[in-house]
């Protein structure tokens, strides 16, 4: 194995600036949407007093969850000592930071009073999991920042393992915290499940790695840096395992819910589309299960596709899209189903009691959500231009610890 | 801190009234009235007792009175308009029996909204009234996600012509305040209860659950009543009976 | 209603920071020489009702925000509803008899704040006009007897 060098990308091409310009346009549109929403009030969104969290939260929670998952690659190297992942660590920590930034930006810009951000940072209710999350998110920036420093500064390298361990524990806590945001909502049947928190952790593994793989493949292809099969196949196989695990947890979640008669209503709503839940059952079956899990699994593991960079990329992209669908089902679907105030009774009122709530996303909401992704990507692109995050080469002879000439591809497959 | 003259006299007047006025509920209410400079205390636990058998299905006097008192206006969009109180019709699908009741913030002893609020803007006052401190509400709406009664509203639009006693503004969350300004003034009732009495139904009774002599405490002790979503163990300050 | 937006507020926040520093500096001078004049000239304001403010004027100029913000928390969380520093009370006295408001170009609160580049969001929720006469203590017999003496 050769020594790994890291260099900045040149970032002077027309293409690079166009990329930043396009992302910048999305960010500008998101900021404009947020201003529009604050100026007119949330009346201009699809959100209501029934569906209080909508599309912005779908994107925000997705990005926050993915952020902690993106750190996995670095953790595998420094915590579990896998050599192949070591040259991948810097980008992993960077993505963790930028994805979190994107997610939090959406959350803040969606607040009813974004101008009171200072209040959110000075008044804490320590009973609130939300307040704890704010501390966890801030701590995540500090710890991952320090971790990055130990990776990038030669003299600090000896602390990398310790920092990596701290970051790893912190990120598990952070994702548990994010999952608990929903787990704590005892009143809503869809969220009243202990399995929510571990499910979020495994979701973070999957979404984070999918984004990591996409960014890695895109960056190396565009900058024409060598990226060997060893790295790509290893990451893709790992992603496959995560996707399958999310599928397993989803199954367990719905099965345990079906076990409780009280939850049959909400299950029928999401799984079968009963009582006007068609949109959610479509997002669930077509988006999350078929497009987001089964097709990617097939693409990753079927030999015809599994060796093609193109299909691996498509698979990872589908995981991302499936993840967004899953968030939509959890967040919006969970609210649309009426809360049971009088069990066994038929209720009606001027406030939609006993009725499934309607929701249709408005353009500003979608733009705000997309701008979060744009923020994350633009920050990443900018960072790899100004600091050496990317290894100059990830060709097999550089990256693969088991590399033997002539034997690269098979060796990588076998060890994956 | 010294009492200023008006407040001193005010407190004295209440004490005098408490002993001078003929005995009855009025006396008790005045005796427990606080003077303006005293903080609320846990000695009181304000609440409502709602008798759904007395509640007329087509009457919504309580809703109009509440919204009039607190300046909650109808913008013609039920999904985004604030609804501090609403009439719910509950029908038993097997027997067909149907009755109605007003539903508002249940003023829980352990309010889920306050537990989840990141800034502490949602809180329970010592005397049991659950409020939003709109000065530190950031509009995240987590409380609305947590409330089992859907009792909270987010203000979706710019509001004008607010009542002096009920400031309200875009981007914050609000809910029934148990007419806290009236309670603090010593009115001893809420707008909804007043309106219901005026309609002749008397389905809503306001009072101090902690005061053994109050009508509400006496009735809760001697008559059957229940909490909504009692399974959640929230110990609500609003109780129901008649179904 | 004050129209405030994010960017304006951030800007005014910075300005307020500077204003605070300046006021702090002038406060030192004020305390030092015992004169009630601050170095920052203020626009002239007029109040129709009542003879005196709830604290001496120079104290009010410097500290009115502390008083009301403190009162705000006391009222919200402890149900303390004394009149002296209540925002309702400020408005009852200081609203312009013509416009019935403390806002507007010549409104008591807004004119000075505009001059000092302070932007407050209070009146997006709180009413800017006085309560009805019977509710407002000032002006009634009781009010004039008791409320004009509430300075401590």
């Amino acid at each position: 194995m050769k020594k790994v060098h890291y260099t900045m990308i040149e970032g002077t091409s027309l293409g690079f600036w166009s990329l930043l310009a396009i992302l910048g346009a999305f960010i500008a549109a998101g900021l404009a949407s947020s201003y529009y929403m604050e100026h007119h009030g949330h009346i201009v969104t699809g959100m209501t007093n029934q569906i209080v969290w909508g599309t912005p939260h779908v994107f925000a929670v997705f990005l926050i969850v993915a952020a902690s998952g993106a750190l996995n690659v670095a953790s595998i190297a420094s915590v579990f000592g896998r050599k192949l992942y070591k040259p991948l660590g810097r980008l992993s920590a960077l993505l963790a930071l930028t994805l979190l930034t994107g997610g939090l930006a959406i959350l803040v810009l969606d607040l009813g009073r974004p101008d009171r951000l200072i209040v959110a940072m000075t008044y804490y209710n320590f009973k609130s999991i939300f307040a704890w999350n704010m501390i966890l998110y801030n701590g995540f920036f500090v710890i991952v920042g320090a971790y990055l420093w130990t990776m990038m500064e030669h003299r600090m390298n000896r602390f990398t393992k310790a920092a990596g361990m701290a970051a790893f524990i912190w990120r598990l806590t952070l994702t548990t915290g994010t999952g608990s945001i929903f787990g704590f909502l005892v009143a809503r049947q869809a969220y009243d499940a202990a399995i929510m928190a571990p499910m979020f952790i495994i979701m973070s593994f999957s979404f984070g790695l999918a984004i990591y793989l996409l960014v890695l493949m895109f960056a190396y292809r565009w900058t024409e840096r060598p990226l060997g099969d060893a790295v790509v196949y290893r990451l893709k196989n790992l992603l496959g395992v995560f996707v399958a695990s999310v599928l397993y947890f989803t199954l367990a979640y719905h099965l345990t819910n079906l076990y409780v008669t009280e939850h049959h209503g909400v299950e029928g709503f999401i799984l079968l589309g009963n009582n006007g839940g068609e949109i959610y059952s479509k997002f669930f079956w077509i988006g999350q299960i078929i497009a987001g899990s089964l097709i990617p699994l097939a693409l990753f593991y079927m030999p015809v596709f599994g060796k093609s960079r193109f299909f691996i990329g498509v698979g990872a992209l589908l995981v991302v899209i499936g993840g967004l669908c899953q968030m939509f089902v959890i967040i919006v679907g969970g609210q649309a189903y009426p809360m049971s105030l009088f069990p066994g009774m038929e209720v009606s009122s001027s406030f939609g009691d006993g009725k499934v709530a309607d929701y249709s996303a408005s353009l500003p909401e979608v733009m705000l959500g997309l701008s979060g992704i744009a923020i994350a990507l633009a920050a990443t692109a900018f960072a790899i231009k100004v600091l050496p995050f990317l290894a100059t080469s990830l060709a097999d002879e550089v990256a693969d610890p088991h590399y033997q000439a002539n034997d690269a591809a098979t060796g990588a497959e076998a060890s994956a | 801190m010294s009492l200023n003259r008006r407040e001193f006299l005010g407190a004295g007047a209440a004490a005098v009234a408490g002993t001078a006025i003929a005995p009855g509920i009025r006396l008790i209410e005045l005796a427990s009235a606080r003077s303006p400079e005293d903080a609320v205390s846990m000695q009181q636990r304000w609440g409502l007792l709602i008798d759904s058998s007395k509640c007329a299905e087509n009457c919504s006097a309580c809703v109009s009175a509440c919204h009039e008192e607190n300046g909650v206006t109808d913008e013609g969009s039920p999904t985004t308009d604030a609804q501090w109180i609403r009439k719910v019709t509950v029908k038993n699908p097997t027997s067909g029996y149907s009755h109605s009741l007003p539903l508002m913030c249940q003023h829980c002893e352990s309010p889920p909204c306050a537990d989840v609020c990141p800034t502490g803007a949602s809180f329970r006052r010592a005397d049991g009234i659950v409020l939003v401190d709109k000065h530190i509400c950031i509009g995240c709406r987590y409380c609305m996600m947590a409330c089992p009664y859907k009792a909270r509203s987010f203000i979706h639009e710019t509001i004008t012509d607010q009542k002096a006693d009920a400031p309200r503004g875009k981007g914050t969350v609000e809910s029934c305040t148990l007419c806290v300004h009236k309670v603090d003034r010593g009115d001893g009732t809420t707008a909804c209860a007043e309106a219901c009495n005026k309609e002749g139904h008397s389905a809503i009774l306001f009072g101090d659950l902690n005061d053994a002599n109050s009508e509400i405490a006496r009735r809760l002790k001697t008559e059957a009543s229940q909490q909504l979503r009692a399974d959640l163990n929230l110990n609500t300050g609003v109780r129901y009976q008649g179904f | 209603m004050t129209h405030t937006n994010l960017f304006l507020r951030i800007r005014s926040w910075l300005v307020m920071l500077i204003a605070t520093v300046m006021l702090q500096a002038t406060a030192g001078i004020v305390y030092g020489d015992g004169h009630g004049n601050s170095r920052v000239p203020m626009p002239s304001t007029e109040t129709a009702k009542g003879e005196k403010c709830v604290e001496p004027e120079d104290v009010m100029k410097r500290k009115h925000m502390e008083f009301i913000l403190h009162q705000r928390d006391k009222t919200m969380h402890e149900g303390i509803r004394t009149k002296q520093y209540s925002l309702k009370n400020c408005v009852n006295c200081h609203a312009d008899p013509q416009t019935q408001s403390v806002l507007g170009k010549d409104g008591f609160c807004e004119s000075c704040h505009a001059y000092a580049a302070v932007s407050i969001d209070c009146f997006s929720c709180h009413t800017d006009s006085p309560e009805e006469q019977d509710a407002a203590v000032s002006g009634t017999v009781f009010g004039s007897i008791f409320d004009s003496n509430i300075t401590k």
Side-chain angles (χ1 to χ4, degrees):
Chain A
M1 203 173 140
K2 291 186 186 162
K3 189 165 165 35
V4 181
H5 290 284
Y6 298 88
T7 42
M8 297 164 248
I9 62 164
E10 207 167 299
T12 48
S13 69
L14 186 64
F16 181 79
W17 290 114
S18 320
L19 175 74
L20 280 190
I22 292 169
L23 293 174
F26 270 96
I27 297 172
L31 290 176
S33 303
S34 162
Y35 175 74
Y36 178 67
M37 279 159 60
E38 205 218 344
H39 183 77
H40 291 276
H42 278 60
I43 189 87
V44 298
T45 72
M47 291 178 271
T48 61
N49 283 327
Q50 329 268 338
I51 307 283
V52 298
W53 284 353
T55 308
H57 303 82
V58 170
F59 281 93
V61 177
F62 174 83
L63 284 172
I64 291 169
V65 164
S68 65
L71 190 63
N72 254 354
V73 175
S75 301
I76 295 175
S78 15
V79 179
F80 302 105
R82 294 299 166 82
K83 287 220 171 59
L84 179 132
Y85 290 89
K86 194 152 174 276
L88 307 176
R90 294 183 182 186
L91 178 63
S92 159
L94 173 64
L95 271 177
L97 294 180
T98 54
L99 290 172
L100 186 62
T101 309
L104 291 181
I106 303 177
L107 273 193
V108 167
L109 292 174
D110 173 75
L111 291 178
R113 298 288 309 251
D115 55 305
R116 287 188 178 164
L117 189 60
I118 187 78
V119 172
M121 302 204 277
T122 46
Y123 288 77
Y124 279 108
N125 168 22
F126 287 102
K127 255 184 122 173
S128 168
I129 187 77
F130 228 51
W132 279 106
N133 278 336
M134 284 186 216
I135 297 172
L136 288 172
Y137 298 149
N138 287 328
F140 190 78
F141 280 114
V142 175
I143 292 186
V144 175
Y147 181 31
L148 250 181
W149 187 43
T150 67
M151 283 193 271
M152 298 181 74
E153 171 64 56
H154 223 59
R155 287 162 301 163
M156 299 296 292
N157 279 172
R158 62 205 156 102
F159 299 115
T160 300
K161 198 175 161 75
M165 184 58 107
F168 181 66
I169 294 172
W170 197 270
R171 62 137 306 208
L172 286 184
T173 325
L174 182 134
T175 322
T176 314
T178 310
S180 306
I181 289 183
F182 298 95
F184 272 61
L185 300 174
V186 289
R188 300 200 183 245
Q189 302 200 355
Y191 304 141
D192 178 18
I195 201 173
M196 222 65 182
M199 188 162 91
F200 266 71
I201 292 195
I202 200 72
M203 275 152 61
S204 84
F205 287 4
S206 170
F207 306 161
L209 188 56
I211 295 179
Y212 183 91
L213 190 55
L214 281 173
V215 171
L216 184 78
M217 285 176 22
F218 184 76
Y220 275 71
R221 195 187 164 89
W222 211 15
T223 56
E224 289 170 356
R225 296 182 182 208
L227 174 62
D229 285 339
V231 167
V232 174
Y233 292 163
R234 182 79 69 90
L235 291 180
K236 147 209 102 156
N237 285 340
L238 189 62
L239 180 56
V241 173
F242 291 157
V243 171
S245 314
V246 174
L247 203 56
Y248 167 78
F249 266 85
T250 310
L251 194 71
Y253 167 77
H254 288 292
L255 281 181
T256 43
N257 255 357
L258 282 172
Y259 206 73
V260 189
T261 321
E262 189 197 334
H263 290 165
H264 283 180
V266 69
E267 285 299 316
F269 177 72
I270 302 258
L271 298 184
L272 306 176
N274 292 345
N275 301 319
E278 295 88 13
I279 172 103
Y280 305 106
S281 65
K282 274 194 196 123
F283 267 83
F284 178 77
W285 289 110
I286 302 176
Q288 181 188 341
I289 301 296
I290 298 179
S293 311
L294 298 178
I295 297 182
L297 282 177
L299 291 179
F300 295 154
Y301 290 124
M302 276 165 61
V304 226
F305 304 115
K307 295 243 183 301
S308 147
R309 296 276 168 105
F310 173 75
F311 283 111
I312 294 175
V314 170
L317 189 62
L318 283 175
V319 173
V320 170
I321 293 171
L324 285 166
C325 292
Q326 183 172 9
M327 283 300 165
F328 180 79
V329 173
I330 293 179
I331 295 179
V332 181
Q335 295 172 80
Y337 189 72
M339 269 194 285
S340 134
L341 261 176
F342 303 89
M345 299 288 177
E346 278 169 13
V347 288
S348 57
S349 77
S350 59
F351 203 45
D353 286 281
K355 278 213 307 264
V356 168
D358 287 329
Y359 172 76
S360 50
S362 68
L363 185 64
E365 277 170 275
V366 178
M367 287 322 295
L368 180 56
L370 289 175
S371 75
I373 296 183
I375 288 173
L377 294 180
T380 310
F382 183 73
I384 59 178
K385 175 177 159 64
V386 295
L387 286 171
F389 282 99
L390 296 186
T392 314
S393 163
L394 286 174
D396 290 349
E397 69 261 34
V398 181
D400 183 7
H402 308 290
Y403 177 80
Q404 284 144 11
N406 311 326
D407 196 21
T410 36
E413 269 298 77
S415 62
Chain B
M1 218 176 101
S2 62
L3 276 183
N4 69 54
R5 232 192 319 156
R6 186 184 65 83
E7 284 155 356
F8 172 73
L9 284 183
V16 171
T19 47
I21 293 176
I25 288 154
R26 194 89 197 113
L27 167 81
I28 293 152
E29 277 163 4
L30 278 175
S32 62
R34 244 171 351 101
S35 57
E37 70 273 11
D38 283 343
V40 290
S41 81
M42 279 161 62
Q43 269 154 7
Q44 267 105 32
R45 169 99 200 267
W46 300 114
L48 299 172
L49 177 59
I50 297 170
D51 187 343
S52 115
S53 64
K54 294 187 193 154
C55 174
E57 208 157 304
N58 49 12
C59 169
S60 56
C62 53
V63 177
S64 327
C66 166
H67 289 178
E68 168 64 28
E69 174 74 27
N70 295 294
V72 178
T73 47
D74 183 352
E75 310 288 336
S77 157
T79 53
T80 50
D81 282 349
Q83 302 206 25
W84 290 22
I85 175 172
R86 64 187 190 269
K87 282 292 297 284
V88 178
T89 308
V90 183
K91 187 170 157 201
N92 188 329
T94 45
S95 67
Y97 172 74
S98 131
H99 60 113
S100 82
L101 46 83
L103 189 71
M104 69 293 278
C105 170
Q106 302 285 300
H107 298 280
C108 312
E109 187 182 7
S110 8
C113 55
D115 283 350
V116 300
C117 176
T119 64
S122 292
F123 68 104
R124 183 174 53 82
R125 235 169 59 151
D127 58 359
I129 303 182
V130 175
L131 294 171
V132 180
D133 182 346
K134 292 185 198 169
H135 305 102
I136 53 173
C137 172
I138 55 175
C140 74
R141 324 195 282 289
Y142 196 19
C143 56
M144 301 175 69
M145 293 287 282
C147 176
Y149 307 102
K150 264 196 352 190
R152 297 202 147 196
S153 306
F154 178 69
I155 312 245
H156 287 76
E157 296 167 80
T158 304
I159 291 184
T160 51
D161 291 330
Q162 293 91 331
K163 300 272 162 154
D165 284 326
R168 313 171 57 229
K170 182 177 69 191
T172 53
V173 174
E174 61 185 25
S175 58
C176 157
T177 63
L178 214 61
C179 283
V180 63
H181 55 285
K182 285 167 72 68
V183 173
D184 285 350
R185 202 155 64 198
D187 285 7
T189 184
T190 59
C192 56
E194 256 171 355
C196 192
N197 290 346
K198 210 160 137 208
E199 289 294 309
H201 301 306
S202 300
I204 307 177
L205 174 66
F206 170 85
D208 179 2
L209 306 178
N210 281 354
D211 176 0
N213 293 319
S214 69
E215 191 186 348
I216 192 169
R218 268 183 289 146
R219 271 179 58 189
L220 282 172
K221 206 168 168 188
T222 53
E223 298 166 21
S225 67
Q226 68 181 76
Q227 306 178 31
L228 298 187
R229 287 301 306 264
D231 57 317
L232 297 174
N233 255 333
L234 303 172
N235 187 8
T236 57
V238 178
R239 305 292 174 87
Y240 288 85
Q241 57 183 191
F243 60 96
Chain C
M1 294 295 109
T2 38
H3 165 70
T4 39
N5 63 46
L6 184 58
F7 306 105
L8 259 181
R9 277 192 220 129
I10 290 174
R11 194 203 63 186
S12 57
W13 202 70
L14 287 176
V15 174
M16 251 171 54
L17 206 72
I18 297 164
T20 315
V21 173
M22 279 167 62
L23 275 174
Q24 229 80 43
T26 45
I29 297 166
V30 171
Y31 283 126
D33 63 15
H35 285 148
N37 293 328
S38 93
R39 266 226 221 118
V40 190
M42 298 285 185
S44 67
T45 46
E46 251 175 70
T47 296
K49 274 184 235 150
E51 315 79 75
K52 272 200 237 141
C53 197
V54 293
E55 291 284 350
E57 251 183 82
D58 57 325
V59 176
M60 277 321 269
K61 254 188 214 166
R62 282 196 322 269
K63 292 203 162 168
H64 64 280
M65 40 275 174
E66 285 171 36
F67 296 145
I68 19 184
L69 292 177
H70 184 72
Q71 174 79 7
R72 176 189 82 181
D73 295 342
K74 286 278 181 209
T75 307
M76 266 325 302
H77 293 267
E78 295 170 39
I80 291 173
R81 290 189 187 258
T82 45
K83 274 242 139 67
Q84 186 173 9
Y85 299 133
S86 148
L87 183 60
K88 264 182 235 164
N89 206 27
C90 320
V91 174
N92 284 345
C93 263
H94 282 295
D96 186 307
Q98 235 97 70
T99 61
Q100 291 288 305
S101 171
V102 290
L103 301 181
K105 199 166 68 65
D106 298 319
F108 179 80
C109 307
E110 188 169 322
S111 61
C112 185
H113 286 167
Y115 177 81
V118 177
S119 114
I120 56 170
D121 67 352
C122 317
F123 297 108
S124 64
C125 289
H126 289 270
T127 176
D128 57 333
S129 31
E131 297 168 277
E132 278 96 60
Q133 277 306 307
D134 58 313
V137 175
S138 311
T140 65
V141 180
F142 269 90
S144 49
I145 295 175
F146 302 120
D147 264 357
S148 49
N149 284 325
I150 47 185
T151 44
K152 293 185 178 172

